[in-house]
């Protein structure tokens, strides 16, 4: 056995989260794509069967009340809250991340007021945020300026209405400094909107502690909610009364069943709702979140950094020098929970890795991306992935 394989055994034996693997449906594949679609928690199929057969099949309309369907968006939001450092009553679940980016950004511009005519958007953002920001700017008559996150402090001015940033860069895995960037945005009198898609469930976020105004995130990556599971919207408590949604659907009305012709917004997190919630996906997510019951985000972060450190070390030992270039920040405070490696034939290499049971993903044009989900990835998996990668890179 190689030195690294022995080390992996030791690290797995000392891993406090190792038992969590039993909460997931896993096989012999090394799954390093949980940052795109989290693995299936073992309790989800049974829960979904109950929701379909009993709650829908037998109780039918009664389930909106008796099975807690109507209040699911706020209830599940409260379940996500501790994972992102938020007190209860500030998160609502529903719609996609893209839709929530729209709600949050337009609401942020409205909060900032008429005097401010510019929106800053993360120039390295996942594309959907950029597209939606462009439309939001056009609709609200503001100018959109793409800025790299580290250049935001210098770009802020009394013109800035809102700033939309990704907490972790989806390509490189770079973690941006949420506390200091949020403070800089506030210093300029603007509103901070964060996209947590690649951080929630992987590392501490501290929304309340750092005074974030609005945040959105998806639940099918590190939160394992399933394909297309609904996203969430955080509105800081102190802003909720002034949160003016651009999508004021009937389920966000103060009296949804009053069927009024004029709109009066609900108070609190439900103000972020739009239409009828997608109950099947939402209740699958609720079951998936139970795996977090006895887990702290700090323990997840500690293991995540150990996994990415170990992978980077194993890649450098197993891979011919210069064959790949790591885009992943070496400093822990700049690193999310993934490793990105650049090489010209990344698309071909990833195809061969997947054929050999190591699943990561390929990001156009030349990036190999490996996500590390501490609840179900172990150090032995990491050693095997790096070894197979090294073999494939040496072969071509
Ligand atoms: C995955 C991801 C999204 C996805 O948006 P959807 O509306 O769920 O498709 C948005 N933003 C970021 C930063 C992401 O990583």
């Amino acid at each position: 056995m190689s030195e690294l394989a022995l080390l992996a055994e030791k690290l797995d034996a000392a891993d406090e989260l190792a038992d969590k693997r039993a909460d997931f449906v896993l096989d012999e594949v090394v799954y390093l794509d949980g940052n795109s679609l989290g693995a299936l928690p073992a309790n989800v199929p049974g829960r979904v069967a109950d929701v379909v057969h009993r709650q829908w099949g037998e109780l039918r309309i009664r389930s909106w009340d008796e099975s807690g369907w109507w209040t699911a968006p706020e209830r599940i939001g409260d379940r996500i809250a501790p994972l992102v450092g938020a007190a209860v009553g500030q998160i609502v679940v529903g719609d996609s991340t893209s839709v929530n980016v729209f709600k949050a950004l337009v609401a942020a511009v409205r909060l900032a007021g008429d005097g401010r005519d510019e929106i800053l958007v993360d120039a390295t953002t996942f594309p959907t945020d950029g597209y939606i920001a462009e439309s939001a700017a056009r609709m609200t008559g503001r100018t959109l300026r793409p800025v790299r996150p580290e250049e935001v402090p210098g770009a802020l001015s009394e013109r800035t209405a809102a700033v939309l940033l990704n907490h972790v860069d989806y390509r490189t895995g770079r973690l941006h400094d949420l506390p200091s960037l949020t403070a800089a945005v506030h210093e300029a009198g603007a509103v901070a909107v964060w996209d947590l898609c690649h951080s929630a469930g992987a590392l501490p976020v501290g929304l309340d502690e750092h005074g974030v105004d609005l945040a959105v995130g998806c639940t099918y990556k590190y939160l394992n909610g399933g394909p297309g599971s609904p996203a969430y919207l955080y509105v800081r408590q102190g802003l909720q009364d002034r949160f003016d949604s651009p999508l004021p659907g009937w389920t966000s009305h103060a009296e949804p069943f009053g069927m009024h012709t004029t709109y009066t917004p609900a108070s609190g997190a439900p103000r972020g709702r739009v239409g009828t919630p997608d109950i099947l996906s939402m209740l699958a997510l609720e079951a998936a979140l139970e795996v977090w019951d006895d887990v702290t985000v700090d323990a997840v972060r500690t293991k995540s950094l150990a996994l990415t450190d170990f992978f980077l070390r194993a890649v450098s030992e197993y891979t011919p020098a210069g064959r790949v270039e790591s885009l992943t920040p070496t400093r822990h405070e700049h690193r999310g929970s993934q490793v990105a490696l650049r090489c010209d034939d990344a698309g071909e290499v990833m195809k061969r890795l997947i054929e050999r049971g190591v699943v990561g993903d390929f990001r156009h044009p030349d990036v190999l991306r490996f996500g590390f989900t501490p609840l179900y990835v172990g150090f032995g998996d990491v050693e095997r992935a790096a070894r197979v990668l090294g073999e494939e890179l040496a072969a071509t």
Side-chain angles (χ1 to χ4, degrees):
M1 221 191 231
S2 74
E3 196 189 318
L4 283 177
L6 282 169
L7 177 55
E9 273 191 1
K10 267 194 213 154
L11 291 167
D12 276 330
D15 174 13
E16 285 171 31
L17 293 175
D19 291 351
K20 278 280 141 193
R21 288 167 73 97
D23 291 356
F24 290 87
V25 176
L26 301 171
D27 53 20
E28 66 292 342
V29 166
V30 178
Y31 190 63
L32 302 180
D33 216 355
N35 54 339
S36 247
L37 177 65
L40 173 64
N43 66 335
V44 168
R47 182 71 55 82
V48 170
D50 178 63
V51 171
V52 171
H53 293 297
R54 188 180 57 83
Q55 298 185 11
W56 178 12
E58 295 171 22
L59 296 176
R60 289 177 286 240
I61 196 78
R62 289 166 56 187
S63 272
W64 281 109
D65 181 31
E66 292 174 31
S67 303
W69 288 0
W70 186 261
T71 51
E74 301 88 71
R75 181 176 73 244
I76 302 171
D78 284 346
R79 186 65 198 80
I80 292 171
L83 301 177
V84 291
V88 297
Q90 302 175 102
I91 295 183
V92 69
V93 172
D95 311 309
S96 63
T97 303
S98 302
V99 170
N100 282 298
V101 166
F102 178 76
K103 291 183 224 170
L105 192 56
V106 174
V109 169
R110 290 175 175 176
L111 279 165
D114 285 340
R116 293 172 175 263
D117 67 354
E118 192 171 73
I119 298 171
L120 302 184
V121 66
D122 187 338
T124 59
T125 182
F126 185 90
T128 203
D129 302 47
Y131 306 156
I132 287 180
E134 194 279 329
S135 175
R138 202 146 37 91
M139 285 178 48
T140 56
R142 266 62 174 187
T143 307
L144 184 69
R145 179 146 69 109
V147 182
R148 299 180 67 83
E150 59 275 19
E151 287 160 6
V152 161
L156 291 161
S157 72
E158 69 286 346
R159 290 182 53 190
T160 315
V163 183
L164 172 62
L165 291 164
N166 289 185
H167 194 192
V168 172
D169 185 303
Y170 77 103
R171 270 180 87 255
T172 62
R174 186 184 180 87
L175 170 64
H176 298 298
D177 188 344
L178 178 144
S180 82
L181 288 168
T182 302
V185 170
H186 287 164
E187 186 101 349
V191 180
V193 185
W194 285 92
D195 183 329
L196 310 177
C197 279
H198 282 275
S199 55
L203 51 94
V205 178
L207 289 179
D208 287 354
E209 181 186 351
H210 304 302
V212 167
D213 299 305
L214 300 148
V216 302
C218 69
T219 61
Y220 50 78
K221 294 172 182 167
Y222 293 95
L223 299 180
N224 314 304
S229 60
Y232 57 90
L233 170 68
Y234 164 92
V235 181
R236 174 159 68 79
Q237 186 159 28
L239 294 179
Q240 287 177 344
D241 288 347
R242 292 193 293 135
F243 177 81
D244 181 5
S245 174
L247 294 172
W250 74 286
T251 76
S252 70
H253 195 283
E255 263 192 299
F257 294 96
M259 301 296 162
H260 302 285
T261 51
T262 55
Y263 182 71
T264 309
S267 56
R271 191 178 285 206
R273 295 174 64 147
V274 184
T276 305
D278 36 4
I279 291 298
L280 298 183
S281 284
M282 198 165 295
L283 298 189
L285 167 65
E286 185 169 38
L289 290 169
E290 288 173 12
V291 305
W292 295 92
D293 278 351
D294 50 359
V295 172
T296 67
V297 178
D298 285 337
V300 167
R301 175 61 167 164
T302 301
K303 181 173 171 189
S304 157
L305 289 170
L307 289 168
T308 52
D309 276 344
F310 187 57
F311 184 68
L312 287 167
R313 173 175 165 192
V315 167
S316 75
E317 292 195 21
Y318 287 150
T319 302
R323 184 66 175 81
V324 293
E325 174 202 358
S326 174
L327 304 177
T328 307
T330 46
R331 285 174 57 185
H332 284 173
E333 65 267 38
H334 294 159
R335 192 189 302 166
S337 200
Q338 71 178 51
V339 168
L341 303 174
R342 210 197 62 73
C343 69
D344 290 338
D345 51 349
E348 266 311 303
V349 170
M350 186 51 74
K351 255 189 227 152
R352 291 202 305 278
L353 286 186
I354 291 170
E355 280 164 15
R356 293 189 58 188
V358 174
V359 175
D361 64 21
F362 162 64
R363 283 291 174 267
H364 193 76
D366 56 5
V367 173
L368 295 164
R369 204 178 65 150
F370 302 94
F372 294 85
T373 46
L375 297 186
Y376 56 86
V377 169
F379 294 89
D381 297 327
V382 171
E383 191 273 338
R384 188 176 132 205
R387 185 159 31 85
V388 171
L389 173 65
E391 288 165 7
E392 290 303 326
L393 289 169
T396 50

